[in-house]
């Protein structure tokens, strides 16, 4: 293929990636724009428009057809983290710590987080968990590893929490989630992802947590938003309630493939303009 790395980046201006400190300073200001990225070409396209790119463990479901994120490995995350940092110049790149790489101890978390940052060039890691993970977050931050938290609906806890249903839809569910958000912020996280909670709870957490709260399925009350890029582009037939489809790329891809297949079968592709000619005396 003729595509070069230079062609992939839509904005050739020299750029400096946003830092954790700069993201933190956006609390209460212009909403923070975040999307997931797993490969270099997509990262390059997203970079111009996003403040933060998350190399999510959702890669397991989006690219590999897994039923959950639980089978994703640290090697998977490093591979895709490297790809995204090659395409991103301005956006802050954050890599998910996969299930089983940080829960055992804060020392285990540090070893794996340090490996992720050193081998990918990313700026931060994300881990799931609230009060029970605060000590680990503090341990990482105190040793120079920026952390993005994740509370509310936590996909890595899908089995213990009984599925992917929204949290905080009754007031008696609120306190543990609020405590989780506050604990992670107080431990030093520069921001917190809040997933799948009722709007009044999202508003309360955003008001009470001192760092930016980035919502996914948590209403526009948050300090920013994140979606899985392939969801918002309409690549999959199933559409979660909290996702707005800003395009129907899936239909466009299928239409292009159908057209290609038809032209191959009726021999109209490749055409004269796609065919190499002989040179010189043999022409």
């Amino acid at each position: 293929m003729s595509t070069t790395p230079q062609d992939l980046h839509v904005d050739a201006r020299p750029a400096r990636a946003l830092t954790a400190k700069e993201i933190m300073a956006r609390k209460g200001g212009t909403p923070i724009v975040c999307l997931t990225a797993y490969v270099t070409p997509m990262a390059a396209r997203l970079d111009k428009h996003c403040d933060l790119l998350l190399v999510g463990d959702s890669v397991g479901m989006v690219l590999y057809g897994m039923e959950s994120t639980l089978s994703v490995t640290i090697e998977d995350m490093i591979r895709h983290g490297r790809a995204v940092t090659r395409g991103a110049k301005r956006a802050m790149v954050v890599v998910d710590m996969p299930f089983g790489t940080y829960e055992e101890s804060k020392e285990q978390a540090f070893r794996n987080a340090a490996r992720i940052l050193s081998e990918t060039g990313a700026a931060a890691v994300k881990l799931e968990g609230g009060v029970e993970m605060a000590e680990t977050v503090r341990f990482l931050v105190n040793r120079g590893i920026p952390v993005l938290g994740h509370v509310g609906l936590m996909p890595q806890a899908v089995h213990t929490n009984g599925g992917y249903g929204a949290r905080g839809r009754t007031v008696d569910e609120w306190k543990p989630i609020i405590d989780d958000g506050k604990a992670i912020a107080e431990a030093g996280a520069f921001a917190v992802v809040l997933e799948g909670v009722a709007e009044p709870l999202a508003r309360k957490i955003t008001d009470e947590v001192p760092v930016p709260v980035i919502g996914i399925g948590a209403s526009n009350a948050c300090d920013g938003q994140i979606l899985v890029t392939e969801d918002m582009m309409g690549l999959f037939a199933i559409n979660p309630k909290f996702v707005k489809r800003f395009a129907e790329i899936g239909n466009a891809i299928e239409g292009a493939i159908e057209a290609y297949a038809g032209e191959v079968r009726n021999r109209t592709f490749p055409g004269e303009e796609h065919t190499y000619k002989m040179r010189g005396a043999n022409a």
Side-chain angles (χ1 to χ4, degrees):
M1 295 295 182
S2 60
T3 304
T4 67
Q6 290 76 18
D7 295 329
L8 295 174
H9 202 273
V10 294
D11 183 359
R13 294 177 296 113
R16 177 184 62 78
L18 294 171
T19 66
K21 186 175 181 179
E22 289 169 324
I23 296 293
M24 187 183 294
R26 297 275 292 274
K27 177 69 180 181
T30 302
I32 301 163
V33 178
C34 314
L35 284 168
T36 60
Y38 316 114
V39 296
T40 304
M42 185 64 76
R45 293 288 179 183
L46 299 175
D47 184 59
K48 183 176 181 179
H49 306 284
C50 293
D51 303 306
L52 187 152
L53 295 180
L54 175 66
V55 187
D57 57 1
S58 51
V59 66
M61 302 167 79
V62 173
L63 295 190
Y64 296 112
M66 298 176 183
E67 293 186 358
S68 74
T69 64
L70 300 181
S71 298
V72 175
T73 67
I74 192 168
E75 287 75 21
D76 294 330
M77 299 311 304
I78 289 170
R79 182 183 313 114
H80 289 282
R82 286 172 177 162
V84 171
T85 57
R86 292 186 190 113
K89 305 300 179 186
R90 175 189 173 275
M92 181 183 190
V93 177
V94 179
V95 178
D96 258 336
M97 297 194 71
F99 178 71
T101 64
Y102 61 93
E103 298 91 339
E104 181 180 339
S105 68
K106 57 186 184 295
E107 291 81 11
Q108 178 207 34
F110 177 79
R111 285 192 299 274
N112 287 322
R115 182 183 171 197
I116 288 171
L117 295 193
S118 66
E119 295 188 28
T120 66
V125 296
K126 180 172 80 65
L127 55 80
E128 296 182 13
V131 172
E132 76 284 1
M133 293 307 302
E135 182 182 353
T136 295
V137 171
R138 183 174 290 107
F139 189 84
L140 297 182
V141 172
N142 286 344
R143 285 155 181 78
I145 296 179
V147 176
L148 175 63
H150 185 145
V151 301
L153 192 166
M154 292 178 279
Q156 291 179 7
V158 60
H159 294 315
T160 56
N161 289 338
Y164 293 102
R167 308 294 192 254
R169 301 187 77 171
T170 60
V171 175
D172 62 338
E173 297 177 354
W174 282 22
K175 187 177 185 303
I177 302 172
I178 294 170
D179 290 346
D180 282 345
K182 288 181 175 179
I184 294 301
E186 290 168 2
F190 68 88
V192 178
V193 170
L194 178 63
E195 180 169 0
V197 303
E199 189 275 343
L201 175 58
R203 187 173 298 279
K204 184 174 179 61
I205 290 174
T206 303
D207 287 344
E208 295 186 6
V209 169
V211 300
V213 174
I214 298 170
I216 176 168
S219 84
N220 65 7
C222 299
D223 297 300
Q225 299 294 327
I226 186 166
L227 286 174
V228 171
T229 300
E230 287 76 7
D231 283 344
M232 57 85 73
M233 294 196 306
L235 201 60
F236 300 112
I238 297 175
N239 196 56
K241 175 181 175 60
F242 57 81
V243 174
K244 177 178 178 179
R245 294 169 81 129
F246 287 83
E248 292 294 342
I249 301 300
N251 292 341
I253 291 172
E254 189 169 347
I257 295 168
E258 182 180 9
Y260 167 73
E263 292 195 16
V264 169
R265 291 183 179 120
N266 63 28
R267 295 186 181 277
T268 57
F269 176 82
E272 188 77 13
E273 68 274 27
H274 309 116
T275 303
Y276 295 104
K277 306 297 183 184
M278 294 291 290
R279 289 177 176 166
N282 296 318

